[in-house]
Amino acid sequence: MLKNKTYIDDACKMNERRGICIHCRNQYMSTRMNITATITLFIDAWIEHRHFFAEFLGFRGIYLLRGSCRRLRSELDDHMTWRQCNRNLCQPLLMNALRQALLSSSVHFLRKLLDHDKIMRVLCSQNAQKHIAERYKRPPIIHLALYHRNRESILMLASKMGESMAVVRNSTGDTCFHVAARMQDDTLQCLLRFMPEKSSMNLLNDAGETPLSTAIASKHLRNVQALMTFDVFAVTYINVLGHGAPIHDAAWSGGIECFKIVYGATFPCFRMSKCTYGYNALMIACLNENYEIVEFILDDMQDRSELHKVMRAQNTFGQTCLHLCVMNGNSQLLKLIVSKCPHDLLFIKNIAGIEPLEMALCQRSCIVADILRQAAIRTDLVG
């Protein structure tokens, strides 16, 4: 019997080395779990010395003991897993507390929460799972503060997050800079103050837009100027889904004032670059019938040969800026183009083999056709 007791003592010492506590002194564990842990110890002892238990319990006794111990051991594992989850519950509880502080505009409560040791993990969490429906996705904390426009809370969160603001995105891929670029106040300038000096603003959302493209589309000149001042290369970042640079976005929807700012900040070699579909800024302005932008581009280009090269440019359909003016039927814009276009521009054909005059006749636009005829006659007389 002493020999058998030695087997049990050796098994207990072995399990103590494995980190299994025999007495289970954890104050959060119930009496049932104490019993379960003790039985679990004997499971391991039985595994190590199964022949010793078989000698006293017999085959059926071992079978019943093994089934009961497996069930109790499963309960112990579930309990330990719950204890681990209980530690991890700190983060969702902290996030809910931050949301409540923002919703109630409790700055003092928010300041206390920002002192938590796990606050950065909560602030940088995405909470934008792609498999969850849009209406169930919660915005990150910094985005929620921007939506509620609480300036003091925004400054506190921005100072805490720092450069981490560039990686936190909502369900549509917008960073806090995209959201602030759509706002008409100076929130974007405040956020940029907490970013390192040489940080890049080449941050694309799910639509392929950068913060500068968002600011141009919203026609907020202060935000456009602030982004280009912070990152001088922001005018070169391409919208990978919109297939254009900021100069193209400004020609589409920015207006003359916004276009002048972007045009002045763009490097001269990129000003008349083409987007994916072959449109340059002049062609986009003609297609959009923006007389002021077209006039500004034609007056700014002093080099006549460079101007003629830009006006001869064709898109993927072979259309020039003259084709686009004829297609829109804008006689005022057409006169402006004709007054400065080279002679051969009147006879350039698109991929369908149609000249601008033929297009005007097909559209039965008599005024546009007369303007083109008079321009052709003038150029013939000059020639």
Side-chain angles (χ1 to χ4, degrees):
M1 193 67 185
L2 182 63
K3 182 179 179 181
N4 295 336
K5 185 177 182 301
T6 304
Y7 285 145
I8 296 179
D9 292 340
D10 292 341
C12 293
K13 291 178 181 179
M14 187 180 303
N15 285 283
E16 285 179 352
R17 287 196 298 268
R18 292 177 183 174
I20 299 177
C21 180
I22 299 176
H23 301 289
C24 299
R25 293 188 174 123
N26 192 335
Q27 57 180 342
Y28 297 106
M29 190 174 287
S30 62
T31 305
R32 179 187 175 101
M33 301 314 299
N34 283 329
I35 298 172
T36 306
T38 305
I39 294 178
T40 303
L41 170 66
F42 283 98
I43 295 174
D44 293 334
W46 172 74
I47 293 174
E48 295 291 335
H49 306 282
R50 62 178 65 89
H51 300 293
F52 164 72
F53 284 99
E55 182 179 352
F56 288 94
L57 298 176
F59 177 78
R60 181 169 179 80
I62 292 176
Y63 180 79
L64 294 175
L65 179 64
R66 182 165 55 183
S68 301
C69 290
R70 280 179 179 174
R71 184 173 63 256
L72 292 172
R73 192 174 203 178
S74 176
E75 293 180 6
L76 178 64
D77 291 340
D78 292 341
H79 176 76
M80 299 303 291
T81 304
W82 169 250
R83 288 181 59 203
Q84 184 67 28
C85 292
N86 195 21
R87 293 191 208 104
N88 295 335
L89 277 176
C90 172
Q91 295 177 26
L93 290 175
L94 183 58
M95 180 169 289
N96 289 333
L98 285 170
R99 295 181 190 280
Q100 188 61 34
L102 291 174
L103 293 175
S104 60
S105 301
S106 178
V107 179
H108 178 72
F109 185 35
L110 180 63
R111 187 179 291 109
K112 292 294 184 182
L113 292 174
L114 291 179
D115 294 333
H116 197 277
D117 56 348
K118 292 185 179 180
I119 190 64
M120 282 303 298
R121 179 175 291 186
V122 175
L123 293 178
C124 295
S125 61
Q126 302 290 338
N127 289 307
Q129 297 87 351
K130 299 298 181 183
H131 61 277
I132 297 178
E134 187 71 26
R135 61 182 179 275
Y136 297 126
K137 294 179 182 177
R138 290 186 175 182
I141 298 299
I142 184 68
H143 292 66
L144 188 63
L146 289 171
Y147 297 152
H148 288 275
R149 300 176 183 269
N150 190 328
R151 184 181 180 83
E152 190 172 358
S153 300
I154 293 171
L155 294 177
M156 291 170 59
L157 291 170
S159 62
K160 188 69 176 181
M161 295 180 67
E163 59 184 348
S164 301
M165 292 186 290
V167 299
V168 179
R169 302 173 182 272
N170 62 6
S171 58
T172 58
D174 285 339
T175 63
C176 58
F177 300 106
H178 290 87
V179 178
R182 300 186 183 99
M183 301 170 66
Q184 297 183 1
D185 51 14
D186 61 341
T187 304
L188 181 62
Q189 293 90 311
C190 296
L191 294 179
L192 292 175
R193 273 190 232 132
F194 298 99
M195 291 290 290
E197 291 184 1
K198 297 183 179 180
S199 300
S200 173
M201 285 291 107
N202 190 15
L203 310 171
L204 304 178
N205 59 12
D206 292 347
E209 298 173 343
T210 61
L212 180 58
S213 301
T214 305
I216 292 172
S218 302
K219 298 181 181 180
H220 299 325
L221 302 182
R222 287 188 301 176
N223 293 339
V224 172
Q225 190 65 53
L227 287 167
M228 291 190 300
T229 303
F230 181 80
D231 185 4
V232 294
F233 294 100
V235 292
T236 63
Y237 301 144
I238 297 175
N239 184 340
V240 294
L241 295 182
H243 311 292
I247 188 70
H248 303 115
D249 295 331
W252 271 116
S253 58
I256 182 60
E257 296 299 329
C258 184
F259 182 82
K260 286 181 179 179
I261 296 174
V262 177
Y263 186 87
T266 306
F267 302 110
C269 57
F270 292 121
R271 286 175 179 173
M272 288 299 121
S273 60
K274 293 183 178 181
C275 65
T276 305
Y277 299 112
Y279 289 87
N280 57 27
L282 178 62
M283 298 169 68
I284 293 173
C286 291
L287 183 63
N288 204 27
E289 301 185 57
N290 195 319
Y291 185 89
E292 294 178 333
I293 292 180
V294 173
E295 186 179 24
F296 172 78
I297 294 174
L298 297 180
D299 293 340
D300 182 76
M301 301 188 71
Q302 301 297 330
D303 189 354
R304 192 172 183 83
S305 60
E306 187 67 24
L307 175 61
H308 289 175
K309 180 181 177 181
V310 170
M311 298 183 77
R312 290 190 187 101
Q314 295 174 275
N315 61 10
T316 54
F317 302 103
Q319 295 172 331
T320 62
C321 57
L322 198 58
H323 285 90
L324 298 174
C325 291
V326 173
M327 185 171 59
N328 290 328
N330 192 324
S331 59
Q332 186 180 7
L333 189 59
L334 182 63
K335 290 178 181 179
L336 178 63
I337 293 293
V338 167
S339 64
K340 297 190 177 183
C341 73
H343 170 68
D344 57 343
L345 183 62
L346 298 169
F347 308 101
I348 294 178
K349 299 179 180 180
N350 58 16
I351 59 174
I354 301 176
E355 296 178 359
L357 181 57
E358 295 179 21
M359 182 180 290
L361 294 174
C362 291
Q363 293 181 348
R364 298 181 181 180
S365 180
C366 299
I367 298 175
V368 172
D370 291 340
I371 295 173
L372 292 174
R373 285 196 190 99
Q374 293 173 7
I377 292 172
R378 260 196 322 270
T379 54
D380 289 338
L381 292 175
V382 173

